[in-house]
Amino acid sequence: MNIFYNGTGIGDVLLVSLKEIPKEERLVERKGDVARLFDKRNGQTVGFNIFNISNIKSINGTGMLPLTDELLEAINKALEHNDFEETIEAPKESNFVVGYVKEKSKHPDADKLSVCQVDVGEETLQIVCGAPNIEEGQKVPVAMVGASMPTGMNIKAAKLRGVESTGMICSAKELVLPDAPREKGILVLDDRFKVGEDFLEQYHG
């Protein structure tokens, strides 16, 4: 699940993405201040656009937001007030966590790629990364397998030039964070971030 808000860029609209599907397979049902996005093939809800969200709850932050208890309550209140019977439930685990780069080695078949061993709390993931500024000893935001990026890309386990990669180390631009630098490179986090915990909660906290 992704929650996105940009009051300056798109207005007072909270975007709630439950599942990414191609635009041509998506239909919209509008009731009052809520638009329900659903899969035209099976009717499954894939997201909601909640207009005038500040009438229910003021939103602090721009870009991807953590799903706090207060925000979840506001989303479900908006659905109820606009005659939708569905409710949103918080996911059991975060799709965006803080990782620690334990090891970095050169990709055997690609000069610009690095193979990283990244501690994400309960496990260490092997992630292939193309960022020029990736180094051992960094804390970084990691999109776990199953995460949906703001661009619509779904993170899957894959092989990159023959090397297994599970998850993605993210840049500020990829996470649509405010004031993201134009230079290429992953977002390096400071010491206040705790490895294995929700990245978005810590970033916006």
Side-chain angles (χ1 to χ4, degrees):
M1 179 189 300
N2 282 347
I3 311 294
F4 183 85
Y5 184 81
N6 185 342
T8 303
I10 61 175
D12 190 23
V13 186
L14 190 71
L15 307 181
V16 181
S17 176
L18 304 176
K19 181 181 179 182
E20 292 295 335
I21 63 171
K23 289 184 179 180
E24 60 270 17
E25 297 175 1
R26 193 172 66 195
L27 294 177
V28 179
E29 173 191 14
R30 178 77 181 258
K31 294 181 183 179
D33 279 340
V34 175
R36 169 181 171 258
L37 313 178
F38 64 96
D39 190 327
K40 68 180 182 181
R41 299 167 299 178
N42 55 25
Q44 181 184 25
T45 300
V46 297
F48 292 98
N49 295 343
I50 303 176
F51 300 87
N52 301 311
I53 183 64
S54 294
N55 290 341
I56 297 176
K57 174 178 171 53
S58 61
I59 305 297
N60 297 317
T62 298
M64 293 184 66
L65 303 177
L67 184 62
T68 61
D69 291 342
E70 293 80 8
L71 187 53
L72 179 63
E73 181 181 358
I75 292 170
N76 285 326
K77 185 180 292 185
L79 297 182
E80 180 183 1
H81 287 181
N82 289 276
D83 298 324
F84 284 96
E85 295 183 359
E86 294 182 63
T87 57
I88 300 296
E89 295 183 358
K92 295 181 180 179
E93 298 179 353
S94 172
N95 281 329
F96 297 91
V97 302
V98 175
Y100 176 78
V101 183
K102 296 168 60 178
E103 299 176 22
K104 169 197 166 185
S105 59
K106 186 178 178 298
H107 191 290
D109 194 35
D111 291 340
K112 294 185 178 180
L113 296 179
S114 300
V115 181
C116 302
Q117 305 301 320
V118 185
D119 177 6
V120 292
E122 296 185 355
E123 60 182 328
T124 297
L125 304 177
Q126 178 169 284
I127 302 177
V128 177
C129 179
N133 64 329
I134 187 72
E135 296 292 347
E136 289 183 8
Q138 293 172 335
K139 290 182 180 180
V140 294
V142 176
M144 305 288 280
V145 169
S148 295
M149 302 299 292
T151 59
M153 178 176 67
N154 294 316
I155 304 301
K156 302 176 181 179
K159 280 188 177 181
L160 297 178
R161 299 293 292 270
V163 175
E164 297 282 351
S165 183
T166 306
M168 186 175 80
I169 301 173
C170 304
S171 69
K173 184 177 181 181
E174 288 166 332
L175 295 171
V176 197
L177 298 178
D179 302 320
R182 294 184 179 181
E183 297 81 7
K184 290 184 178 180
I186 51 93
L187 176 61
V188 179
L189 306 176
D190 58 39
D191 290 340
R192 71 184 174 93
F193 287 87
K194 296 182 179 180
V195 173
E197 297 191 7
D198 188 294
F199 163 70
L200 292 172
E201 285 187 3
Q202 295 184 72
Y203 180 85
H204 291 284

